[in-house]
């Protein structure tokens, strides 16, 4: 079906970015995904994630440039009436590669704690200064 040819490759491209394989849990009989060994604690900064893919699909200019067909042409080079039919020929692995989707590196450090609480530290510092000036008398 068209949906299988169009949507399943998107899932496969996203899956292959993070996961090594899918097994079956013998107890629950549910899928058991095995993430790449290097990714168990956190994703490396250059790996694409859902935010990157979401940004790609929300930015019309990047979307026009980024969606490639298997023959190397762009989806939006097709006539508007032919684009839906061309979805089954999309090269999702190439279109969703980190080099095509990432706009920034995600580096995790303690600066994130400061970045999310800097206003609190600023207010505490100002209040401390006001208190010191008030107590010392000038």
């Amino acid at each position: 079906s068209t949906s299988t040819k169009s949507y399943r490759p998107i899932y496969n491209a996203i899956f292959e970015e993070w996961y090594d394989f899918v097994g079956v849990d013998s107890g629950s009989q549910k899928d058991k995904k095995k993430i790449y060994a290097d990714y168990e604690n956190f994703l490396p900064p250059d790996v694409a994630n859902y935010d990157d893919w979401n940004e790609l699909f929300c930015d019309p200019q990047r979307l026009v440039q980024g969606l490639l067909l298997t023959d190397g042409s762009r989806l939006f080079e097709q006539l508007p009436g032919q684009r839906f039919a061309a979805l089954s020929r999309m090269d999702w692995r190439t279109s969703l590669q980190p080099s095509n989707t990432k706009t920034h590196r995600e580096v995790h450090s303690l600066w994130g704690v400061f970045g999310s609480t800097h206003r609190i530290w600023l207010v505490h510092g100002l209040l401390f200064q006001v208190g010191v000036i008030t107590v010392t008398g000038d």
Side-chain angles (χ1 to χ4, degrees):
S1 78
T2 302
S3 62
T4 304
K5 291 178 184 176
S6 299
Y7 308 132
R8 189 63 173 176
I10 297 172
Y11 175 80
N12 290 340
I14 292 171
F15 180 86
E16 290 169 0
E17 185 71 22
W18 294 1
Y19 296 100
D20 195 14
F21 66 89
V22 175
V24 177
D25 187 332
S26 60
S28 66
Q29 296 299 315
K30 293 185 178 181
D31 288 350
K32 184 177 181 181
K33 297 175 185 169
K34 174 66 175 142
I35 198 162
Y36 289 118
D38 296 345
Y39 298 0
E40 288 176 351
N41 295 326
F42 56 88
L43 292 174
D46 294 324
V47 170
N49 60 38
Y50 293 107
D51 290 336
D52 301 313
W53 297 313
N54 188 40
E55 286 178 20
L56 173 69
F57 283 97
C58 289
D59 185 347
Q61 291 174 334
R62 288 183 53 218
L63 194 63
V64 167
Q65 293 298 317
L67 295 183
L68 302 174
L69 299 174
T70 53
D71 64 4
S73 64
R74 299 189 193 294
L75 175 67
F76 286 92
E77 290 173 351
Q78 305 292 313
L79 295 174
Q82 297 173 348
R83 291 179 189 160
F84 184 78
L87 285 176
S88 63
R89 296 183 290 120
M90 283 294 304
D91 186 356
W92 289 111
R93 283 188 177 85
T94 303
S95 298
L96 297 178
Q97 281 182 348
S99 60
N100 297 334
T101 58
K102 288 208 71 77
T103 57
H104 60 281
R105 290 187 83 212
E106 296 181 30
V107 179
H108 303 279
S109 71
L110 290 177
W111 283 109
V113 174
F114 175 74
S116 62
T117 60
H118 69 279
R119 290 180 187 91
I120 294 170
W121 297 113
L122 178 64
V123 169
H124 277 79
L126 288 173
L127 289 175
F128 179 75
Q129 283 293 71
V130 168
V132 167
I133 291 170
T134 302
V135 169
T136 59
D138 272 330

